[in-house]
Amino acid sequence: MAAAMAAVLALAGITHAQEQQGDVDTALIVSVDVSNSVDEHRYRLQMEGIAKALEDPEVLKAILNGPNGSILVAMVTWADKPRLALPWQRIANPSDAAYLASKVRALPRQTGEFTCVSGMMRSISDKVVPQIPARALRIVVDVSGDGRENCNPEEATAVVRDELAAAGVTINGLPILEGDEGPALEQWYRDNVMGGPGSFILPAHGFNDFGRAIRQKFMIEISGKLPPVKEARQVVKEHGSSRAIPPEAATQ
């Protein structure tokens, strides 16, 4: 009985904190692969791409023109283990965006050997999503990386993905198509990462293309509109399964 009462009080505290914070349009978790294939140069391309996307005038316009005129952003970096690199921060004006961009640029590089996608998703499900400090119209996990799961996890990546999707979380993929895994990576992301309402895949054609891809992806995720690019695939639920709309059928 005491434990149940404590849980109720904790939930009430979270709800009160969310009411105090005010609603937002999107709670966006930016999840970035920093495993051993990501050297210092590639790491900086990713961080600078994210920072520039946050500062982009069109991205800011999408943020400010939403029903609540604000979003929440958190960042997770992951390899062998996930790390909450930046806790939840609100963007409601250009100054907020510039401040968060400066924090992204200043993040020290985290290193690791393996690409543990399942462990990253489990951490986001258990530790990051429950700590969203405001009510959000949509919750989006933005996963980018240049490799498939290689940690031999206890839980398959798709199983954790399905759990998040069942809770109403959207998981979008930004596979970086470079190196040995590049040719098959987009399909693996579609099968194991992409899930939830309106989810899609938008690949980067190498690390040098990451900045373009993440800006385009933020625009879609923040606005809540269907992907306006051929590279994106919307997930369609059919008889309990998912299929990807081919590129030519995507919204232009």
Side-chain angles (χ1 to χ4, degrees), residues 42 146 176-184 206-207:
R42 289 174 169 181
D146 71 336
I176 303 170
L177 309 183
E178 185 168 321
D180 294 340
E181 295 192 60
F207 281 90

Coordinates of all heavy atoms in Angstrom, one line a residue, residues 42 146 176-184 206-207:
R42 N 34.5 12.9 -37.9 CA 33.1 12.5 -38.1 C 32.2 12.9 -37.0 O 31.1 13.4 -37.2 CB 33.0 11.0 -38.3 CG 33.5 10.5 -39.7 CD 33.6 9.0 -39.8 NE 33.8 8.5 -41.1 CZ 33.9 7.2 -41.5 NH1 33.7 6.3 -40.6 NH2 34.1 6.9 -42.7
D146 N 26.0 4.8 -38.3 CA 26.5 4.3 -39.5 C 26.7 2.8 -39.5 O 27.4 2.2 -40.3 CB 27.8 5.0 -39.9 CG 29.0 4.5 -38.9 OD1 28.7 4.1 -37.8 OD2 30.1 4.6 -39.3
I176 N 23.5 6.6 -41.8 CA 24.6 7.3 -42.5 C 25.2 6.3 -43.4 O 25.9 5.3 -43.0 CB 25.6 7.9 -41.5 CG1 25.0 8.9 -40.5 CG2 26.8 8.6 -42.3 CD1 25.8 9.3 -39.4
L177 N 25.0 6.4 -44.7 CA 25.3 5.4 -45.7 C 26.8 5.6 -46.1 O 27.1 6.1 -47.2 CB 24.4 5.4 -46.9 CG 22.9 5.4 -46.5 CD1 22.0 5.4 -47.8 CD2 22.5 4.2 -45.6
E178 N 27.7 5.1 -45.3 CA 29.1 5.2 -45.6 C 29.8 3.9 -45.0 O 29.4 3.4 -44.0 CB 29.7 6.4 -45.0 CG 31.1 6.7 -45.3 CD 31.6 8.1 -44.9 OE1 30.8 9.0 -45.1 OE2 32.7 8.2 -44.5
G179 N 30.8 3.4 -45.7 CA 31.5 2.3 -45.2 C 30.9 1.0 -45.7 O 30.0 0.9 -46.5
D180 N 31.4 -0.1 -45.1 CA 31.0 -1.5 -45.5 C 29.5 -1.7 -45.3 O 28.9 -2.5 -46.1 CB 31.8 -2.5 -44.7 CG 33.3 -2.5 -45.0 OD1 33.6 -1.9 -46.1 OD2 34.1 -3.0 -44.2
E181 N 28.9 -1.2 -44.3 CA 27.5 -1.5 -44.0 C 26.6 -0.6 -44.7 O 25.4 -0.8 -44.7 CB 27.3 -1.3 -42.5 CG 28.0 -2.4 -41.6 CD 27.5 -2.4 -40.2 OE1 26.3 -2.7 -40.0 OE2 28.3 -2.1 -39.3
G182 N 27.1 0.4 -45.4 CA 26.2 1.4 -46.0 C 25.2 0.9 -47.0 O 24.0 1.2 -46.8
P183 N 25.5 -0.1 -47.9 CA 24.5 -0.5 -48.8 C 23.2 -1.2 -48.2 O 22.2 -1.1 -48.7 CB 25.3 -1.6 -49.7 CG 26.7 -1.1 -49.6 CD 26.8 -0.6 -48.2
A184 N 23.4 -1.8 -47.0 CA 22.3 -2.5 -46.4 C 21.7 -1.8 -45.2 O 20.7 -2.2 -44.6 CB 22.7 -3.9 -46.0
G206 N 26.6 9.6 -46.5 CA 28.0 9.8 -45.9 C 27.9 10.9 -44.8 O 27.0 11.6 -44.7
F207 N 29.0 10.9 -44.1 CA 29.1 11.9 -43.0 C 29.1 13.3 -43.4 O 28.6 14.2 -42.7 CB 30.3 11.6 -42.1 CG 30.2 10.4 -41.2 CD1 30.5 9.2 -41.5 CD2 29.6 10.6 -39.9 CE1 30.3 8.1 -40.7 CE2 29.5 9.6 -39.0 CZ 29.8 8.3 -39.4

